[in-house]
Amino acid sequence: TSIVTTAVGLVISRMTAVRLVDGDLQAVADLRVGARRAAALVGVFIAIPFALLADTLGASFRMAAEPFIVLAVSFPIYLVLSVERGILLGRLQYPRLGITYVVETAVRFALSVVAVSIGLGSAGIAGAIVVSFVAAWALTRPAGRGLPSGRSPAGATWRELAAAAAAAAAALLGQAILANSDIVVVKGSFAPEAAGTVAAIALVGRALCFASTSLTMALFPVVAARAERGEPHRRLLWLILAVVAVVCGGMTSVAWLAPEFVLGVFFGQAYVAGAGLLGPYALAISMLVGASVIAMYRLSLGHPGSGYLTFVAGVVLVFGLVLFADRLAAVVQIMLVVNSAL
């Protein structure tokens, strides 16, 4: 679900930014109204079978069915929230957008603590998630400020939205596969000790991925607007890549020069045996971060191919790990080959 909502938000932000360049507030209003309605409908269509399968899901996860029924309520809310966040991002209302994420996290944490403390358990935590989405959605109301009354957009808008959302979802899914498939494959094919080592190493590397997320989100509408105005925009890409290089280069250097120290401090001496893999792993993740930034840059220009290429790279990595990863060093080597090629 998070991949879908992120893709929707990014695409809506690009479409909003492009329409604002032309000063077409009516088109933005139409996009907002149409996308919210579509998001709500899609959310309901997802929620109904999810709720109907609550008993089956509960049995699979050894939980009661109630949490899954409560979570089903969140789907349409979350999708509508992603549309509003996309409008805020496209209108470059970064402070308001940031507040929605802070409030969502704070409300979810506080209510989850209360739910557990009074014995509501997993159902209470699921309810906290729903309420956190509602609280964040309430703060996105300025997304429509200054816009005229919207109406259903034209068919061309729907086609543009669907095509761009599919490419963005492919890119995000590919990035998720590239960033997580190693853990899944190792867990299923290696001894528990090796799986634990890879999980510890991967947790350090994941910090590099999270560091680039906000940069790529901010890049999307700005580049789209500059391209629409015919202004130079490649400098933004180089600027963000420079920031990524500094952050990833610094973390990779530490991982390469002092891997025993890093693993020992964060996970204990039991995981120091995998220290030799930490530096190469961090380098592989750094390559993935750089490739992800470039892919999102191209998507912001309306080039869907980069999104599908990222997904194909994820599939290639999975097959490579399954077929050729017979030791932990081979896992990292295959990641390096695929990510550098991407």
Side-chain angles (χ1 to χ4, degrees):
T1 305
S2 61
I3 290 176
V4 174
T5 53
T6 303
V8 169
L10 287 173
V11 170
I12 292 293
S13 73
R14 179 185 181 276
M15 295 176 69
T16 298
V18 168
R19 284 155 176 76
L20 288 176
V21 169
D22 300 327
D24 195 347
L25 295 180
Q26 184 62 59
V28 175
D30 294 347
L31 172 66
R32 178 172 178 251
V33 168
R36 286 196 306 176
R37 290 173 181 170
L41 286 174
V42 171
V44 170
F45 281 124
I46 297 174
I48 290 174
F50 190 85
L52 292 175
L53 292 172
D55 289 329
T56 303
L57 292 170
S60 300
F61 290 93
R62 297 181 181 180
M63 296 170 57
E66 288 78 8
F68 297 98
I69 296 174
V70 175
L71 280 177
V73 177
S74 71
F75 291 153
I77 301 172
Y78 193 28
L79 284 167
V80 172
L81 172 60
S82 70
V83 172
E84 297 287 47
R85 280 173 166 164
I87 298 291
L88 287 173
L89 182 59
R91 302 185 75 177
L92 306 184
Q93 296 183 14
Y94 296 123
R96 172 65 62 168
L97 180 63
I99 289 172
T100 69
Y101 285 105
V102 172
V103 170
E104 177 189 334
T105 303
V107 170
R108 183 181 305 174
F109 176 78
L111 292 183
S112 295
V113 171
V114 172
V116 172
S117 65
I118 63 178
L120 294 179
S122 56
I125 294 175
I129 293 174
V130 175
V131 175
S132 71
F133 289 157
V134 173
W137 172 76
L139 292 172
T140 62
R141 307 306 295 169
R145 187 173 296 163
L147 297 179
S149 298
R151 52 184 181 268
S152 183
T157 299
W158 289 118
R159 289 190 292 272
E160 178 187 359
L161 176 60
L172 293 169
L173 180 58
Q175 291 169 17
I177 294 172
L178 288 165
N180 297 283
S181 59
D182 56 312
I183 298 178
V184 176
V185 172
V186 169
K187 184 177 180 180
S189 305
F190 287 73
E193 295 78 8
T197 300
V198 170
I201 294 171
L203 190 59
V204 177
R206 294 299 175 274
L208 298 174
C209 290
F210 291 129
S212 68
T213 301
S214 58
L215 289 174
T216 54
M217 287 186 66
L219 171 76
F220 221 78
V222 176
V223 170
R226 288 198 175 190
E228 183 70 13
R229 288 193 294 263
E231 298 176 355
H233 46 76
R234 192 175 294 273
R235 183 178 299 178
L236 289 173
L237 172 64
W238 293 120
L239 175 62
I240 292 181
L241 285 176
V243 173
V244 168
V246 171
V247 174
C248 292
M251 296 183 71
T252 300
S253 296
V254 173
W256 209 295
L257 296 174
E260 295 88 353
F261 173 78
V262 173
L263 292 176
V265 168
F266 287 102
F267 304 103
Q269 294 301 312
Y271 293 93
V272 171
L277 299 175
L278 185 58
Y281 189 94
L283 178 60
I285 295 296
S286 297
M287 292 178 176
L288 172 59
V289 172
S292 299
V293 170
I294 295 172
M296 287 301 176
Y297 169 79
R298 291 188 58 78
L299 283 173
S300 69
L301 296 175
H303 302 311
S306 58
Y308 296 112
L309 178 62
T310 303
F311 176 75
V312 170
V315 175
V316 170
L317 176 62
V318 171
F319 276 100
L321 292 175
V322 171
L323 295 175
F324 303 111
D326 54 354
R327 62 190 192 283
L328 293 185
V331 172
V332 179
Q333 290 166 1
I334 293 170
M335 291 177 62
L336 280 168
V337 170
V338 174
N339 292 348
S340 61
L342 180 63

